[in-house]
Amino acid sequence: MSEKVSINPNIDETWKEVLKEEFQSEYFKSLKMFLLEERKKHMIFPPASKIFAALNLTPFDKVKVVIIGQDPYHGEKQANGLCFSVSNGVSNPPSLQNIFKELHTDVGIPTPKYGDLEPWARQGVLLLNATLTVRANQPGSHQKQGWENFTDAIIRKLSEERQGLVFLLWGRFAQAKEVLIDQSKHHILKAPHPSPFSVHSGFFGCKHFSKTNEFLRKEGLKEIDWRIE
């Protein structure tokens, strides 16, 4: 509860350089104060050490693919700083189960026992939630506090300074970020969200994993090995 969130967080040096103006901005200072106050009263997920896990596991110059989520999981021990991912030993939430079903149908990978997507992140898949923290058992509780400004800046910087990235936009929330992406430089794949409420309206059968690797091949980049274990 007493963990502190640094205004100059311990973050991969490539991202620290790219985002230095964000860390010095007024909105980020306000966000820091909000988080400090929240931690005095509530349990916050993920742990402070994992808030920037997506950036630390996938340096700016190593990003090849971007998957955009909305909020961290709000249940005990679920959130690990990577969108859709959970720590090993935690039951896979329904959306992640559906991602694994499509993965199996698309590229034939057996359904993983565990849901930690760190192997993807280490290969260049940026697993970015739009909001990087949440209050326990209260989904959406940290929205509109400044995180969206920060993560929108991440998407813009990738669009402006990188070339040939693949953006996977699942659901209307992620697809609203399309305006931040230069489509003349990057590849965009869109599908409904993998949640049980929308998965049957086009996520199943979207073949985004094989299509992503097709784009990477065309860019002369190494494909993603989508296996988790």
Side-chain angles (χ1 to χ4, degrees), residues 137-148:
N137 304 314
Q138 295 188 40
S141 50
H142 285 187
Q143 292 177 3
K144 299 181 180 178
Q145 298 293 336
W147 278 131
E148 293 90 345

Side-chain angles (χ1 to χ4, degrees), residues 3 46-54 56 79-82 87 116 118 132:
E3 284 182 290
S49 62
K50 295 289 186 72
I51 290 174
F52 297 104
N56 286 328
N80 65 5
L82 307 176
S87 299
D116 191 340
E118 183 174 328
L132 298 189

Side-chain angles (χ1 to χ4, degrees), residues 120-134:
W120 295 2
R122 291 194 178 277
Q123 295 178 76
V125 181
L126 181 65
L127 296 158
L128 183 68
N129 275 317
T131 303
L132 298 189
T133 56
V134 69

Side-chain angles (χ1 to χ4, degrees), residues 22-54:
E22 306 304 315
F23 292 128
Q24 296 165 4
S25 68
E26 289 303 315
Y27 84 78
F28 201 87
K29 293 174 186 175
S30 297
L31 173 60
K32 177 202 173 185
M33 297 310 299
F34 168 76
L35 291 174
L36 290 173
E37 289 302 311
E38 281 284 281
R39 287 191 182 278
K40 291 177 183 177
K41 306 170 187 174
H42 305 284
M43 180 68 73
I44 304 302
F45 299 135
S49 62
K50 295 289 186 72
I51 290 174
F52 297 104

Side-chain angles (χ1 to χ4, degrees), residues 1 11 42 47 50 70 88-89 95 123 140 146 161 165 192 224:
M1 291 285 227
I11 190 173
H42 305 284
K50 295 289 186 72
Q70 190 164 2
N88 289 345
S95 291
Q123 295 178 76
E161 299 184 22
L165 304 183
I224 304 299

Side-chain angles (χ1 to χ4, degrees), residues 168-172 175 189-194 202-204 206 208:
L168 305 186
L169 306 182
W170 296 338
R172 284 178 291 183
Q175 288 164 20
L189 293 171
K190 295 188 285 187
H193 195 277
F203 182 82
F204 283 156
C206 71
H208 278 189

Side-chain angles (χ1 to χ4, degrees), residues 92-159:
N92 294 341
S95 291
L96 185 56
Q97 292 178 34
N98 289 332
I99 289 170
F100 287 160
K101 286 177 183 177
E102 175 59 21
L103 182 66
H104 175 67
T105 302
D106 184 12
V107 295
I109 290 174
T111 301
K113 294 178 182 177
Y114 304 111
D116 191 340
L117 303 182
E118 183 174 328
W120 295 2
R122 291 194 178 277
Q123 295 178 76
V125 181
L126 181 65
L127 296 158
L128 183 68
N129 275 317
T131 303
L132 298 189
T133 56
V134 69
R135 192 185 294 175
N137 304 314
Q138 295 188 40
S141 50
H142 285 187
Q143 292 177 3
K144 299 181 180 178
Q145 298 293 336
W147 278 131
E148 293 90 345
N149 303 61
F150 181 71
T151 53
D152 280 359
I154 290 172
I155 297 168
R156 275 196 300 268
K157 287 289 187 179
L158 287 167
S159 177

